[in-house]
Amino acid sequence: MCGDEGAGVIVTEYDPHAIEQRWLVAWEDLDLRRPGAPKRYVLDMFPYPSGDLHMGHGEAFSIGDAVARYTMLRGYDVMHPIGWDAFGLPAENAAIKRGTDPATWTYTNIETQAESFRRFGVSFDWSRRLQTCDPEYYRWTQWLFLRFFEKGLAYRKASPVNWCPNDQTVLANEQVVQGLCERCGAAVTKRNLTQWYFKITDYAQRLLDDMEPLVGNWPDRVLTMQRNWIGRSEGAYVQFVIEGRDEPVTVFTTRPDTLYGATFFVVAADAPLADELVTDGQRSAFEAYRERVKGLSEIERQSTERTKTGVFLGVHAINPANGEKLPVWAADYVLADYGTGAIMAVPAHDQRDLDFARTFDLPVRVVVDTGLEDPLTTGIATTGDGRLVNSGPLDGLAKADAIRAMIEQLESSGGGSGTVIFRLRDWLLSRQRYWGAPIPIVHCTSCGEVPVPDDQLPVLLPPPDQVDLKPKGESPLGTAHSWVEVPCPSCGATARRDTDTMDTFVDSSWYFLRYCSPHYTDGPFDPAEVREWMPAAQYTGGVEHAILHLLYARFFTKVLQDLGLVDFGEPFSRLLNQGQVVNQGKAMSKSLGNGVDLGAELARHGVDAVRVTMLFASPPEEDIDWADVSPSGAGKWLKRVWQLAGDVAGRPGGSSDLEVDRAVARLVAETERHMEGHRFNVAVARCMELTNVLRKGFDAGCDVRAGTEALAVMLSAFAPYTAEEAWHRLGHQDFVAKQAWPQVDPALLVRESVTCVVQVAGKVKARLEVSPEIAEEQLRAQALDDPSVRRALAGRGVGKVIVRVPKLVNIVPA
RNA sequence: GCGAGAGUGGCGGAACGGCAGACGCGCCGGCCUUAGGAGCCGGUGUCCUCGGACGUGCGGGUUCGAAUCCCGCCUCUCGCACCA
């Protein structure tokens, strides 16, 4: 039961390491669940096993564990699971470099991290532990893929994709950061490849709409980032007839009102359409241009600073509004995979079109009179509101009315329609890598893409010794010939397995569901358990996942809802993004040599001191500069708590003091309020104040046992070892972590007297100790009678007097 | 360029529109000590004629009253960035 049986260490002075030793053993069989109590799911983003835990983990899990432990103390039956996001490139790269296999590297790191988590004192439910690279996990990742496939939500298509030349693999749009590979930083190029996609675009509007209830519960900036990423755009499709071509070409525009201002037409240089439209006479010029564009890296291409480039394709489009012939150009400022890959160019009212027109000397026609100078002379396109001109029937209308009128006209003439498009692209999920979940599809020459039957899952990875891991632009799985060749599940003929593996973001898009029933064998999760726990009440993790992981997880949840597997659409009710730990103003890095090692800090200051430092440094979403904080200061406080607990136990009794009791009640109430609001820095500060109050009270001979016990209980949310030790010193044989958050007697929160501030012209001139029930007239009289108030009035008469009983009086001189 | 957020002591940071600077670090002084990188106590926004005056990036506004709300600037951080 209690600690000393386990470790046999008697602690006689505050020695954090000895305390850790003792309780680590005593906690071995500690079960923090509270069966029968209301359930709450407190979730932390699971780690990637890249090595041992680092400072960033320290902060994330200090916060996550404070939330979990606080929730337990509040009486909930808390699920606080841990697992590992264990598939992924680094394992493979490390394996290539060291000649081991990815599994060994991964599982070794996981064991290291698991051990460190235990030492860090995190209140995980270890029975739920999972690893996404375990076959019993990825079996269900594959199973889910097949459900998506059946629904038409997983499909294969050929298209230009982001390619990392260093990692030799394709990347999702979300993994390209400023034209660079998110993982390795190499410049990303485009390749035309056939790849697997999830149809996340079908869910664009829902992903947007369902954010509404998250407002206030998720950080604003995450919601904004997701909104921007989804990029909803209202406008119209407009069809343009191309001279000498039967089929019209459709463009998307947000400004159908400016149709009369279109003076040329642009097709994305890398879109198949450009290749179709170009005349024989212009073909060689076009192909030369296209090759040049292909050679550009994404960063070069995306630079807005560059002057516009392009080439005339030799054909003309007919403006459906006025019948004008518009020259058709190919250019790289038009994107092949947004809208329709073609635009009508209105240089007067679009900056990019204007830049292009000025480069190639194309006409500029103003059709919205904004009152600003002519764009052709200023070089600045006018995008604001104004009256339509040079626009036939639209003349005189304001922008918004003209947009409406033009859409109506297009719809009645059949030349176009109002529409909404999104910036969001489908999620490219296939990877030409070994260490991931194989895509459970068999390619058969007669049957096509055939799903592996559910009862043949999982499709296990071939053993690493059968595979050549070296990157070569094709999946390493293709080199495991005996693995690749299988009979077609449909017709039995010899067929080939799909050799790609899934993006690891697929694994992490449903792990929070698996935690609810990690050993369930009849499906990815037990629906009954999921109903009990989900959606997660609290999700804590880094802001680097603001788009990627969180958008994918939301998407998965919605698909599962549509499949009838879950009955909710949003997985995480409340989200907290903790900041980073930096050093001397900069992110820690090897090249800067400013790294701080978590293990070393723990060895030096003790686990609790480091955890308290993380929480006390600043609000959780702010970065912590380790050069600005004081783990030894935190340690000093913990020692004072420990000392107090011992002193209180050693001197029973004492006088009771109402003022001390009131201060304790107030500080407990405030700590609770700040815990609820995730202001852990202030919650810790209130506990420090409480320590000071109790110490002074004790030294004055008061009985502060109840207050000290309350302190120990609250402390257990931040510093579980010291709290446990303090509780034990107070004579308890049970665990502080299993206690209830201290109750506050509301009567003690009602002050017997309050300090009333008396202001003259808004400036504080006096303070009065008054009863909280004082009458307004009496307070007013007392305030006006105060000597310093009279002095401040200095002969001036009394004008208006604002009285807010019992806390404030403001006197305005006449 | 677009979008979001933030500017408070030497530092990290507190503050339902109502006492600015809680709590801590650092610093100063004292006690204790053979010793102090230990512990304890006290002090610590600026100016000052010791009665006060000023003070939350800058300038306006609302209000009896603004760090807090509104408008306009400045600076910084983050996100997106040729998305038609």
Side-chain angles (χ1 to χ4, degrees):
Chain A
M1 273 296 282
C2 86
D4 20 22
E5 286 167 32
V9 181
I10 306 296
V11 178
T12 54
E13 61 182 85
Y14 185 73
D15 175 350
H17 301 301
I19 292 173
E20 285 162 27
Q21 283 308 314
R22 155 189 275 212
W23 292 104
L24 207 47
V25 174
W27 286 340
E28 202 73 33
D29 303 314
L30 175 59
D31 181 4
L32 291 171
R33 290 283 304 273
R34 299 190 185 219
K39 290 180 159 58
R40 264 190 167 228
Y41 190 173
V42 177
L43 179 64
D44 305 309
M45 287 186 188
F46 65 167
Y48 181 81
S50 54
D52 201 354
L53 300 181
H54 51 67
M55 294 297 280
H57 293 118
E59 187 187 8
F61 290 94
S62 294
I63 292 168
D65 199 39
V67 174
R69 287 180 177 272
Y70 170 73
T71 310
M72 292 170 190
L73 294 172
R74 298 290 303 172
Y76 289 95
D77 181 16
V78 172
M79 167 159 73
H80 187 212
I82 183 66
W84 278 269
D85 186 16
F87 271 138
L89 263 182
E92 209 166 326
N93 292 340
I96 293 165
K97 207 163 135 191
R98 294 157 210 227
T100 63
D101 78 282
T104 308
W105 184 86
T106 301
Y107 284 105
T108 305
N109 285 341
I110 287 173
E111 285 314 314
T112 305
Q113 291 196 350
E115 200 40 52
S116 294
F117 273 133
R118 283 183 199 275
R119 184 179 170 208
F120 206 62
V122 191
S123 63
F124 290 134
D125 176 353
W126 289 94
S127 72
R128 293 177 187 272
R129 169 175 174 174
L130 61 80
Q131 284 109 199
T132 59
C133 63
D134 290 344
E136 51 269 34
Y137 184 89
Y138 74 74
R139 167 187 181 184
W140 298 110
T141 305
Q142 293 172 333
W143 185 91
L144 287 167
F145 172 90
L146 292 176
R147 301 294 85 77
F148 280 55
F149 180 75
E150 287 161 5
K151 273 272 210 175
L153 292 169
Y155 68 97
R156 234 154 64 108
K157 73 168 178 192
S159 70
V161 298
N162 301 306
W163 176 261
C164 174
N166 182 47
D167 291 336
Q168 292 277 307
T169 186
V170 299
L171 300 170
N173 283 322
E174 288 82 349
Q175 290 166 320
V176 181
V177 179
Q178 315 225 301
L180 304 176
C181 171
E182 179 207 39
R183 274 255 124 84
C184 70
V188 171
T189 59
K190 288 275 181 187
R191 267 204 177 187
N192 215 357
L193 291 171
T194 299
Q195 298 289 333
W196 284 98
Y197 292 84
F198 279 139
K199 221 164 183 348
I200 191 170
T201 50
D202 275 7
Y203 286 77
Q205 190 63 53
R206 257 168 82 189
L207 287 165
L208 220 42
D209 293 342
D210 292 356
M211 269 187 253
E212 198 46 49
L214 303 180
V215 174
N217 296 310
W218 280 37
D220 282 341
R221 77 173 157 157
V222 172
L223 295 174
T224 306
M225 282 163 75
Q226 294 222 351
R227 255 182 235 113
N228 292 344
W229 191 262
I230 295 166
R232 186 179 195 275
S233 215
E234 286 185 21
Y237 284 131
V238 185
Q239 291 183 4
F240 282 74
V241 170
I242 308 290
E243 275 191 328
R245 191 176 191 267
D246 295 335
E247 233 176 284
V249 172
T250 303
V251 303
F252 173 79
T253 176
T254 53
R255 295 293 305 276
D257 57 314
T258 63
L259 187 49
Y260 283 85
T263 56
F264 57 101
F265 193 94
V266 190
V267 178
D270 52 346
L273 184 63
D275 197 60
E276 280 175 43
L277 294 182
V278 68
T279 58
D280 292 342
Q282 290 297 104
R283 178 160 294 278
S284 63
F286 164 68
E287 282 176 358
Y289 176 67
R290 193 178 53 188
E291 285 315 301
R292 218 173 82 211
V293 169
K294 267 194 193 157
L296 294 175
S297 70
E298 282 297 295
I299 335 164
E300 290 170 307
R301 179 166 169 174
Q302 284 174 6
S303 164
T304 47
E305 303 302 308
R306 249 168 95 222
T307 42
K308 294 278 182 286
T309 59
V311 60
F312 179 49
L313 293 181
V315 293
H316 288 82
I318 309 299
N319 186 333
N322 54 16
E324 278 182 11
K325 285 173 61 173
L326 309 177
V328 178
W329 289 66
D332 65 356
Y333 83 93
V334 172
L335 307 174
D337 54 357
Y338 181 73
T340 63
I343 62 153
M344 64 178 211
V346 184
H349 307 296
D350 182 286
Q351 191 60 47
R352 296 150 303 177
D353 295 347
L354 183 61
D355 294 342
F356 192 83
R358 281 157 60 97
T359 305
F360 293 101
D361 221 7
L362 293 160
V364 176
R365 184 192 304 143
V366 173
V367 290
V368 182
D369 180 9
T370 57
L372 297 170
E373 275 184 70
D374 187 355
L376 185 58
T377 52
T378 59
I380 299 163
T382 58
T383 56
D385 201 358
R387 296 270 155 209
L388 273 284
V389 294
N390 299 322
S391 295
L394 299 181
D395 280 355
L397 292 179
K399 177 171 158 180
D401 296 330
I403 290 175
R404 231 169 288 132
M406 182 51 82
I407 289 174
E408 261 173 49
Q409 193 196 309
L410 288 167
E411 285 178 348
S412 62
S413 72
S417 57
T419 191
V420 171
I421 68 166
F422 297 91
R423 204 188 81 115
L424 183 70
R425 314 292 156 80
D426 277 341
W427 169 11
L428 198 172
L429 73 106
S430 44
R431 295 289 180 275
Q432 290 69 52
R433 280 294 186 157
Y434 171 77
W435 193 233
I439 292 175
I441 292 285
V442 172
H443 298 279
C444 170
T445 40
S446 40
C447 309
E449 292 159 0
V450 182
V452 173
D454 287 356
D455 60 9
Q456 292 176 29
L457 297 179
V459 176
L460 291 171
L461 281 167
D465 55 12
Q466 288 181 25
V467 172
D468 177 13
L469 287 179
K470 282 206 195 63
K472 56 209 148 301
E474 279 165 30
S475 178
L477 295 186
T479 61
H481 302 289
S482 60
W483 180 88
V484 171
E485 277 187 30
V486 284
C488 168
S490 174
C491 70
T494 303
R496 289 176 57 83
R497 286 194 189 282
D498 198 294
T499 56
D500 286 352
T501 51
M502 293 188 230
D503 182 4
T504 54
F505 280 108
V506 181
D507 309 327
S508 56
S509 291
W510 72 281
Y511 77 105
F512 45 89
L513 292 162
R514 184 71 185 169
Y515 275 146
C516 298
S517 51
H519 311 297
Y520 193 64
T521 52
D522 296 337
F525 46 82
D526 181 346
E529 288 294 319
V530 166
R531 223 170 296 125
E532 293 282 318
W533 293 106
M534 290 288 294
Q538 174 64 43
Y539 196 23
T540 304
V543 74
E544 66 273 17
H545 293 115
I547 308 178
L548 292 165
H549 163 60
L550 290 170
L551 192 68
Y552 293 153
R554 296 182 60 222
F555 163 62
F556 254 60
T557 303
K558 289 172 202 310
V559 175
L560 294 177
Q561 184 183 31
D562 289 354
L563 289 167
L565 293 170
V566 303
D567 56 6
F568 49 90
E570 286 294 330
F572 316 121
S573 303
R574 198 174 176 199
L575 177 71
L576 174 64
N577 288 132
Q578 84 280 358
Q580 290 181 288
V581 185
V582 303
N583 193 16
Q584 290 153 342
K586 294 187 184 73
M588 295 183 197
S589 76
K590 269 203 185 112
S591 58
L592 287 168
N594 66 342
V596 178
D597 181 62
L598 177 63
E601 292 301 292
L602 296 178
R604 189 145 99 215
H605 306 286
V607 170
D608 284 348
V610 170
R611 290 177 54 140
V612 166
T613 302
M614 299 273 187
L615 293 168
F616 182 58
S618 60
E621 44 281 291
E622 298 298 318
D623 287 352
I624 296 171
D625 193 328
W626 206 248
D628 289 341
V629 298
S630 173
S632 58
K636 226 157 77 178
W637 171 51
L638 294 170
K639 181 179 176 177
R640 280 160 47 78
V641 174
W642 177 91
Q643 186 67 50
L644 177 68
D647 291 351
V648 167
R651 195 201 74 194
S655 58
S656 80
D657 184 305
L658 194 56
E659 277 317 300
V660 171
D661 293 347
R662 285 205 170 106
V664 171
R666 179 179 59 81
L667 289 166
V668 169
E670 284 195 27
T671 304
E672 181 179 321
R673 182 164 68 84
H674 290 297
M675 290 304 287
E676 292 290 337
H678 293 165
R679 289 1 251 165
F680 308 112
N681 57 330
V682 192
V684 171
R686 293 297 172 263
C687 287
M688 288 174 169
E689 272 186 82
L690 178 55
T691 309
N692 296 342
V693 165
L694 293 169
R695 182 79 245 176
K696 283 210 175 78
F698 179 85
D699 291 347
C702 301
D703 174 13
V704 294
R705 167 168 274 272
T708 307
E709 293 189 344
L711 174 62
V713 173
M714 297 194 294
L715 183 68
S716 75
F718 319 121
Y721 290 108
T722 305
E724 209 67 78
E725 185 69 24
W727 187 250
H728 186 67
R729 295 195 97 199
L730 285 162
H732 295 283
Q733 297 298 305
D734 52 359
F735 291 100
V736 73
K738 296 282 280 183
Q739 304 307 309
W741 188 262
Q743 293 266 344
V744 174
D745 177 359
L748 288 172
L749 294 175
V750 179
R751 302 278 316 237
E752 194 166 61
S753 75
V754 294
T755 308
C756 174
V757 173
V758 185
Q759 301 175 328
V760 173
K763 303 253 184 277
V764 180
K765 294 294 168 187
R767 293 179 177 84
L768 308 170
E769 282 302 314
V770 298
S771 152
E773 280 93 34
I774 191 167
E776 180 173 331
E777 268 318 301
Q778 197 193 338
L779 184 59
R780 178 194 163 103
Q782 218 174 312
L784 286 168
D785 197 42
D786 186 274
S788 33
V789 170
R790 302 174 98 149
R791 193 164 54 232
L793 284 167
R796 290 176 294 178
V798 174
K800 204 167 171 181
V801 179
I802 285 92
V803 184
R804 292 273 178 277
V805 277
K807 297 194 72 173
L808 181 124
V809 177
N810 189 13
I811 302 158
V812 185

